[in-house]
């Protein structure tokens, strides 16, 4: 077993103790290792590279890539006001005379709250909670938006907002005249060859779909996200997400690689969150302390009622990780630890 395979297998084994099922992918240069353990659901087999998981907020990376693609072909502009792209008669709140733009939505600087108006946080804390977004129709969302108070002036401060990302997906789909799932397939999945990233699995994919579990180990129904799939509605596999990371790692070195211009555009935009961290279009980023090697880490995590996910990479060291689990417990610490091991042991300088 090579070193990459050993590190990925160690992470998989540790996570399998606390999760129903887990799949871990590690990338170092041109090498990829994917390992799975546990079970896909009650009586199910061990998950693998082609098992579908809900990826939750990792969906935001796809939404922002769609934004970059549409911006490059001038269908939209990064600094275009959201109000110009939503279905009429939507009313978008303003503060300090500043309009919310698409850039604000993708970098979480819109000032919008985390959740749509009227949603109760306690609904997110129930062990066997139903889909909290089930009733988020476009009519209800836009009606609530008109009565929403911004927490800060758009563009001034970072405030993570699921609502903002959902509105970005809604606006892009409306402008393109396509459903959100169709738009992601056209702009991201087809160019990269991602065959299993989707909103709703087809008959064949459904046989490979993991069952979500709450933190107490009980199966829970999937979340649908209704009119706001751009915030967290996609399903995907470790194999597809590894391809996405390979595209991210190749973008700066291979300008002709699929989606390279759009990928670089997402990174060109940067909003400082604090002295150590920032937000790109879709990705969150930080650089480790000098005592930890000053390595760059770009990442996003996700969680729904029964799934957790973590995707991260270092374009300088050309390493990356994907961790998917069909239970609600966070996989972030294990994913971060694996990324740091890859940066230290298998990064570009050490290969």
């Amino acid at each position: 077993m090579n070193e990459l395979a050993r590190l990925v297998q160690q992470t998989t084994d540790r996570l399998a103790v606390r999760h129903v099922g887990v799949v871990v992918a590690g990338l170092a240069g041109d090498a990829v290792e994917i390992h799975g353990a546990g079970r896909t659901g009650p009586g199910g087999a061990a998950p693998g590279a082609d098992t579908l998981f809900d990826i939750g907020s990792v969906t935001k990376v796809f939404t922002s890539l769609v934004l970059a693609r549409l911006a490059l072909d001038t269908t939209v502009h990064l600094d275009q006001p959201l109000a110009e792209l939503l279905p009429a008669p939507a009313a978008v709140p303003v503060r300090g005379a500043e309009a919310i733009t698409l850039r604000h939505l993708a970098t979480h600087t819109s000032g919008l709250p985390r959740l749509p108006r009227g949603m109760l946080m306690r609904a997110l804390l129930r062990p066997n909670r139903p889909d909290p977004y089930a009733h988020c129709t476009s009519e209800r969302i836009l009606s609530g938006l008109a009565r929403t108070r911004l927490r800060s002036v758009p563009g001034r401060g970072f405030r993570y907002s699921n609502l903002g990302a959902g509105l970005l997906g809604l606006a892009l789909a409306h402008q393109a005249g396509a459903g959100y799932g169709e738009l992601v397939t056209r702009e991201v999945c087809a160019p990269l060859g991602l065959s299993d990233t989707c909103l709703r699995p087809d008959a064949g994919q459904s046989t490979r779909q993991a069952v979500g579990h709450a933190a107490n180990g009980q199966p829970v129904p999937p979340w649908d996200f209704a009119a706001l799939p751009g915030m967290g509605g996609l399903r995907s596999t470790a194999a597809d997400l590894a391809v996405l990371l390979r595209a991210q790692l190749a973008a700066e070195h291979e300008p002709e690689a699929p989606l390279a211009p759009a990928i670089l555009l997402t990174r060109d935009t940067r909003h400082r969150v604090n002295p150590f961290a920032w937000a790109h279009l879709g990705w969150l980023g930080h650089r480790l302390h000098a005592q930890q090697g000053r390595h760059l880490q770009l990442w996003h995590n996700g969680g729904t009622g029964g799934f957790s996910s973590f995707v991260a990479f270092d374009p300088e060291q050309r390493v990356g990780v994907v961790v998917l689990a069909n239970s609600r417990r966070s996989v972030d610490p294990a994913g971060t630890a694996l990324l740091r091991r890859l940066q230290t042991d298998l990064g570009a300088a050490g290969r």
Side-chain angles (χ1 to χ4, degrees), residues 84-88 169-178 183:
E84 293 182 4
L85 301 180
L86 289 177
L170 181 64
L172 295 177
H174 183 258
Q175 178 69 6
L183 192 59

Side-chain angles (χ1 to χ4, degrees), residues 11 13 25-26 71 79 118-119 130 133 136 149 192 200 221 247 256 260 273 283 295 304 320 326 336-337 339:
T11 302
D13 291 342
D79 296 314
M119 286 184 59
Y133 299 100
C136 288
R149 183 180 66 84
L192 291 180
R200 294 172 182 81
E256 301 303 318
V273 176
W283 295 104
H295 293 307
T304 64
N326 60 333
T336 301
L339 180 62

Side-chain angles (χ1 to χ4, degrees), residues 1-258:
M1 181 180 290
N2 62 47
E3 183 65 6
L4 177 61
R6 187 183 70 82
L7 292 172
V8 171
Q9 187 64 62
Q10 284 182 346
T11 302
T12 305
D13 291 342
R14 284 196 294 268
L15 284 167
V17 175
R18 302 181 69 245
H19 291 270
V20 177
V22 63
V23 179
V24 179
L27 295 83
D30 294 328
V32 180
E33 291 285 343
I34 302 177
H35 295 246
R39 64 187 191 278
T40 57
D50 64 348
T51 301
L52 275 76
F53 292 78
D54 292 16
I55 61 172
S57 286
V58 175
T59 298
K60 295 176 175 68
V61 171
F62 288 84
T63 303
S64 292
L65 261 178
V66 171
L67 169 61
R69 290 271 287 178
L70 297 184
L72 287 173
D73 71 14
T74 69
T75 299
V76 301
H77 304 283
L78 293 184
D79 296 314
Q80 189 169 3
L82 171 64
E84 293 182 4
L85 301 180
L86 289 177
V92 179
V94 298
R95 182 168 176 176
E98 291 291 331
I100 297 173
T101 68
L102 305 186
R103 187 192 303 269
H104 296 151
L105 297 173
T107 56
H108 300 283
T109 57
S110 66
L112 287 165
R114 185 180 184 94
L115 295 170
R117 181 181 174 89
M119 286 184 59
L120 300 178
M121 282 302 297
R122 65 173 179 269
L124 297 176
L125 302 175
R126 295 171 184 158
N128 295 295
R129 56 190 176 272
D131 181 356
Y133 299 100
H135 302 294
C136 288
T137 64
S138 58
E139 292 78 11
R140 289 187 177 185
I141 291 298
L142 297 180
S143 174
L145 180 63
R147 295 177 281 115
T148 296
R149 183 180 66 84
L150 299 185
R151 272 52 173 176
S152 59
V153 175
R156 296 281 182 85
F158 176 88
R159 181 182 292 273
Y160 190 87
S161 175
N162 282 317
L163 173 59
L167 287 170
L168 177 60
L170 181 64
L172 295 177
H174 183 258
Q175 178 69 6
Y180 174 81
E182 178 187 349
L183 192 59
V184 170
T185 297
R186 186 184 80 196
E187 299 295 336
V188 180
C189 297
L192 291 180
L194 308 183
S195 58
D196 282 323
T197 300
C198 58
L199 274 183
R200 294 172 182 81
D202 61 26
Q205 292 167 331
S206 294
T207 64
R208 296 183 279 113
Q209 186 171 11
V211 176
H213 294 75
N216 63 5
Q218 294 300 308
V220 296
W223 288 1
D224 183 71
F225 290 91
L228 298 176
M231 73 165 72
L234 289 176
R235 278 84 178 176
S236 192
T237 65
D240 268 13
L241 292 174
V243 172
L244 174 68
L245 286 191
R246 294 196 72 167
Q248 295 284 337
L249 298 177
E252 292 176 307
H253 310 283
E254 303 173 28
E256 301 303 318

